[in-house]
Amino acid sequence: MTDHALRKLRQDPRLAELAAFPFDFDLNRAVHGHAEPVRLASGGPLEVVAGSGAGGTYFGCADGSVLYADSEGGAGIIGSSADEALEVVIGLPCWFDCVNLSPDDGEQAVLARVAELEAELREDDDGFDAAREELRTALGLPERSPFELVTLLHTALLRTEPDFLLLNEEEGGAYRLLDEHPRPPLWEPVLARGRADLALLRAGDRTAWDAVPGDAVRRRLTLRAAQFDRADGDLELLRHLLRRETESSMTDELRLAAVLVGRHGDVTDLPLLHEVRETDFDTHCGLSEIPEPGSDAAELTRWAEELDDMMFGTDPADEGLATWTDLALDQGLTELARVALIRELDEIFLDRSILRRPDDPTRLDTSRLGWLARALERAGDLPQALRAQRLYAALQDTAWDRISELRDQARLERACGHLPQAVRTMASTRALLADPGDDSLRHWSRTNFGRFIAEEHYALTRALADAGLPEEARALLTAADAILGELSGNAATGARKLAERVGDLRGLS
């Protein structure tokens, strides 16, 4: 971390006083921390460095970057090091009002705007120019033009996501960005490797011809790249990718590959398409509408075009978020996916009306929340997955669905170490079993639904015992055994196996 200037501030009270006023970088405010508990979504460490009079906080990050969080829910990187952040704060004391300036605005426009802002500062304190010169010289900071400083600030702000997304620790919501600069859409970095591999295949690179189709992730990415960059000469490489995608069974990319091949209208591909369709049962169902052998080119093309229009298309901006977050996670671009998923979840928390069903605005389609919970869990972010799951469970209509999602909620609470909350959640499932309020639970005790409820009770019992909570474990074990006693058939057999594995807890004292 380049923090020579910061160390000098900490060692010299006179310099620290100058930094605090008029530059609003107050080391003394660091002892108070931020206005609310916060953390980085990535899990990286944060160190409070200084505060501002408006209630904002300067945080030092693990790589040396400085993150500023204001008191109104905005946050952004303002320097790649403490020294660079101090260059901005001291050299551009109106930086708060410059976050939306960009080098693309042109040097003349930037300088004019900064001059206007600094003129306003001089009206309140005509000595700030001398203070700036003294402080900058004492700290050994270079003298940069306002345009250079705006460029530094702009570059830093654009680095905020994905690695420095700030969250409210208690509620889990993300801070908004300090600036309004456009960012590349998620699909651009996610699709970059697929585009590169597609170019290699088109160039006839024989090494790539073997390596790309043989790697499931690279193959999927290349097919997506071909979806949005179609060329008449791609038919042979599309056939090759289609054959290899059968190794993954029925995926969206397998259907896409079939569509892209079919759109070329070559009837000699019909045997290949039918061979692919018969790979397994799921693939047969997914490609059941392929024209029969003997069909003409027009029929093949019509099938491919209709499915293409319904499911795919040529604009990556029209593709669902799930496609890009799944492919991001496949490539290990976890932070990119995490930011997109958390932002999506925040949007739902802010306005649940976006879940309204188009065909019936009085009802909600909560499947988006269920997907978010699963995707965030896959991303390894259990707290955010739990946040999504809790809302998902709360919005279920029937007792059956509510219990199903409460059970998953308890599982996530258990995985997060929130054992008292998990105990309360499982108590809610038992209350619903006793008084469902509808007839959706008529056969619960004879299906795997009942088995899964019992199994989560036993798993939570074990977790409580392992956490040194014998009384809570004993009480839950009694409830688990009572549920097991109501099960019959295969449901009882499956749950009983897990009950036997916690048999050593029955003498718990």
Side-chain angles (χ1 to χ4, degrees):
M1 180 174 181
T2 307
D3 60 356
H4 171 76
L6 180 61
R7 287 199 306 273
K8 277 199 167 186
L9 277 186
R10 287 170 169 167
Q11 294 164 1
D12 190 322
R14 162 64 182 164
L15 297 180
E17 184 179 345
L18 274 180
F21 183 81
F23 302 103
D24 208 15
F25 187 91
D26 192 342
L27 297 179
N28 291 328
R29 292 182 183 272
V31 299
H32 303 297
H34 194 50
E36 62 185 7
V38 292
R39 66 179 178 86
L40 290 178
S42 64
L46 287 174
E47 175 195 1
V48 176
V49 174
S52 72
T57 306
Y58 295 91
F59 293 97
C61 303
D63 72 339
S65 298
V66 172
L67 178 77
Y68 179 79
D70 65 28
S71 59
E72 298 176 351
I77 295 293
I78 65 165
S80 62
S81 66
D83 284 4
E84 187 177 290
L86 282 166
E87 279 193 65
V88 170
V89 169
I90 296 166
L92 201 66
C94 52
W95 75 265
F96 297 100
D97 296 311
C98 296
V99 292
N100 288 319
L101 292 178
S102 163
D104 294 338
D105 296 330
E107 185 170 3
Q108 185 175 351
V110 168
L111 292 177
R113 177 57 179 154
V114 173
E116 178 185 350
L117 292 168
E118 292 196 349
E120 294 174 5
L121 289 177
R122 289 187 186 93
E123 291 178 4
D124 297 326
D125 179 11
D126 59 6
F128 99 83
D129 286 301
R132 175 165 57 188
E133 183 60 32
E134 178 184 349
L135 189 55
R136 188 157 51 191
T137 300
L139 295 180
L141 299 176
E143 184 173 351
R144 300 184 191 270
S145 75
F147 183 74
E148 290 179 284
L149 292 170
V150 166
T151 301
L152 277 179
L153 177 61
H154 177 263
T155 301
L157 289 167
L158 291 181
R159 293 180 51 243
T160 304
E161 291 184 356
D163 294 324
F164 303 100
L165 180 68
L166 192 66
L167 303 178
N168 176 296
E169 176 73 48
E170 295 176 355
E171 297 176 2
Y175 276 50
R176 59 173 173 76
L177 293 169
L178 283 179
D179 64 273
E180 298 175 359
H181 298 301
R183 266 73 170 177
L186 177 61
W187 60 264
E188 283 192 8
V190 171
L191 202 56
R193 185 169 188 180
R195 287 172 156 175
D197 281 341
L198 179 61
L200 290 175
L201 293 178
R202 285 174 172 169
D205 186 312
R206 299 316 301 178
T207 301
W209 197 263
D210 294 329
V212 173
D215 183 306
V217 175
R218 294 178 71 181
R219 185 172 66 237
R220 291 179 66 201
L221 288 165
T222 304
L223 282 166
R224 289 295 178 177
Q227 174 186 348
F228 305 115
D229 178 15
R230 304 183 183 195
D232 291 338
D234 283 351
L235 182 55
E236 191 54 43
L237 71 87
L238 290 172
R239 289 167 175 158
H240 188 42
L241 292 168
L242 172 61
R243 291 186 183 96
R244 296 302 301 269
E245 186 59 19
T246 60
E247 298 169 10
S248 299
S249 188
M250 189 61 241
T251 62
D252 286 341
E253 284 72 29
L254 179 61
R255 187 182 283 110
L256 170 62
V259 164
L260 293 176
V261 168
R263 284 201 64 129
H264 284 265
D266 188 337
V267 294
T268 64
D269 285 319
L270 283 170
L272 168 62
L273 291 169
H274 277 267
E275 178 186 342
V276 168
R277 186 181 72 175
E278 299 309 313
T279 300
D280 55 34
F281 178 76
D282 289 340
T283 308
H284 178 89
C285 295
L287 297 174
S288 60
E289 302 300 322
I290 290 176
E292 294 299 318
S295 300
D296 60 21
E299 190 172 355
L300 174 59
T301 302
R302 183 167 56 253
W303 164 80
E305 288 178 346
E306 289 177 356
L307 194 54
D308 192 11
D309 291 343
M310 181 173 64
M311 298 193 65
F312 300 110
T314 58
D315 187 347
D318 293 336
E319 196 68 35
L321 179 62
T323 296
W324 304 123
T325 54
D326 281 351
L327 288 171
L329 292 172
D330 286 343
Q331 297 179 79
L333 302 175
T334 304
E335 296 310 317
L336 272 176
R338 190 204 305 266
V339 168
L341 293 167
I342 292 174
R343 293 290 189 198
E344 179 84 355
L345 181 57
D346 281 355
E347 188 178 338
I348 294 172
F349 269 89
L350 287 171
D351 183 9
R352 294 184 194 176
S353 67
I354 62 180
L355 297 176
R356 286 176 182 163
R357 292 171 50 163
D359 59 330
D360 183 359
T362 64
R363 299 183 61 195
L364 299 180
D365 178 3
T366 60
S367 59
R368 194 164 155 195
L369 278 167
W371 163 71
L372 280 168
R374 293 188 297 274
L376 284 160
E377 185 173 6
R378 185 189 169 202
D381 198 328
L382 295 183
Q384 291 290 341
L386 177 55
R387 181 173 166 236
Q389 184 64 32
R390 281 175 171 158
L391 182 56
Y392 187 38
L395 294 177
Q396 297 307 305
D397 293 328
T398 69
W400 180 289
D401 291 340
R402 185 77 179 274
I403 290 174
S404 294
E405 302 313 328
L406 283 171
R407 180 183 58 82
D408 263 355
Q409 177 180 319
R411 176 182 60 79
L412 287 169
E413 288 168 337
R414 174 168 55 83
C416 289
H418 302 165
L419 299 184
Q421 293 93 324
V423 169
R424 288 195 295 270
T425 299
M426 293 313 293
S428 297
T429 68
R430 297 195 300 276
L432 279 169
L433 287 175
D435 184 15
D438 59 41
D439 63 354
S440 62
L441 298 179
R442 290 191 308 275
H443 308 298
W444 75 271
S445 62
R446 301 199 297 273
T447 67
N448 279 335
F449 177 86
R451 168 193 165 189
F452 295 150
I453 297 170
E455 286 181 342
E456 182 54 38
H457 274 79
Y458 285 121
L460 183 53
T461 297
R462 169 60 71 183
L464 290 166
D466 291 345
L469 299 169
E471 291 185 12
E472 291 85 347
R474 187 165 51 248
L476 195 65
L477 182 59
T478 300
D481 287 341
I483 291 173
L484 178 58
E486 295 191 51
L487 302 183
S488 60
N490 290 335
T493 302
R496 194 170 290 116
K497 291 179 180 177
L498 187 56
E500 291 170 355
R501 290 203 291 273
V502 298
D504 60 309
L505 301 180
R506 297 187 189 283
L508 213 56
S509 60

